[in-house]
Amino acid sequence: MLQRLAISTWSRIETMSLGENVRSLRHSKGWSQAQLSEYSGIRIQHLSRIEQDQGDLKISTVYKLIDAFGCTANALLMNPTPGTKSGAVLSLIFNRVSELPEEKQEPLFEILDKYCVACEMEQALTQTPRTLYEAAEAVSMSSKQEEG
């Protein structure tokens, strides 16, 4: 079964509440409230109130939810503003990628790395007039400095 991202559109992520985040994470796992109750140790009635955004949560309840979902605090608590949407989406996607087996993660990291190198080369070429070789050298030197 394919997991569905809780944030299928940009506008949706702007308005998600804590209760919606909990419900969305629960649905992405294919769990009922009873199952989440069992995994988290939180009563079903309390989970229902949480998903309806009724009342305040104790920090211990937040930790129980994080443990049950196996997610980051950001994935559970995040209600990003328009200026942080891309970071929020990346955080949630990387959380999902981290759940994949290592052999499934490798190609994704390779693709992202190559894309980042291409963007850095493009930026190096547009900042000052250079040849493609000079831009590649600048990116290579930058990468070596970050590693060292």
Side-chain angles (χ1 to χ4, degrees), residues 4 13 21 54 65 75 102 111 116-118 120 124 139 142 147:
R4 296 179 67 193
I13 195 168
N21 288 350
Q54 296 175 351
L65 290 168
E102 244 181 77
I111 291 167
C116 289
V117 168
E120 290 168 354
V139 169
S142 170
E147 291 174 4

Side-chain angles (χ1 to χ4, degrees), residues 73-148:
N74 281 347
L76 181 65
L77 302 172
M78 192 170 5
N79 188 12
T81 60
T84 62
K85 288 187 294 192
S86 62
V89 170
L90 284 174
S91 177
L92 292 173
I93 290 172
F94 280 121
N95 188 47
R96 292 184 68 207
V97 168
S98 72
E99 295 175 0
L100 295 173
E102 244 181 77
E103 65 272 7
K104 300 281 187 183
Q105 292 178 15
E106 290 297 324
L108 296 173
F109 293 142
E110 204 171 305
I111 291 167
L112 286 172
D113 183 53
K114 288 179 181 179
Y115 181 77
C116 289
V117 168
C119 289
E120 290 168 354
M121 287 182 68
E122 180 182 45
Q123 185 179 11
L125 281 170
T126 58
Q127 286 180 348
T128 58
R130 296 181 179 181
T131 66
L132 187 57
Y133 177 78
E134 290 172 329
E137 282 291 310
V139 169
S140 176
M141 294 298 276
S142 170
S143 295
K144 287 179 184 177
Q145 288 175 354
E146 289 176 6
E147 291 174 4

Side-chain angles (χ1 to χ4, degrees), residues 53-70:
D53 289 316
Q54 296 175 351
D56 293 324
L57 296 181
K58 293 181 182 178
I59 193 72
S60 60
T61 303
V62 171
Y63 281 120
K64 287 178 182 179
L65 290 168
I66 289 170
D67 287 342
F69 287 127

Side-chain angles (χ1 to χ4, degrees), residues 5-62:
L5 254 180
I7 46 163
S8 58
T9 64
W10 288 116
S11 60
R12 178 87 179 121
I13 195 168
E14 290 178 31
T15 60
M16 286 186 71
S17 67
L18 175 63
E20 288 173 314
N21 288 350
V22 170
R23 184 180 314 109
S24 179
L25 285 166
R26 180 173 61 77
H27 286 167
S28 75
K29 299 276 188 185
W31 296 347
S32 65
Q33 283 185 344
Q35 287 171 304
L36 178 55
S37 175
E38 181 183 329
Y39 303 143
S40 67
I42 301 169
R43 291 187 338 255
I44 294 175
Q45 297 83 355
H46 192 193
L47 288 171
S48 179
R49 285 193 304 272
I50 291 169
E51 289 187 3
Q52 295 171 22
D53 289 316
Q54 296 175 351
D56 293 324
L57 296 181
K58 293 181 182 178
I59 193 72
S60 60
T61 303
V62 171

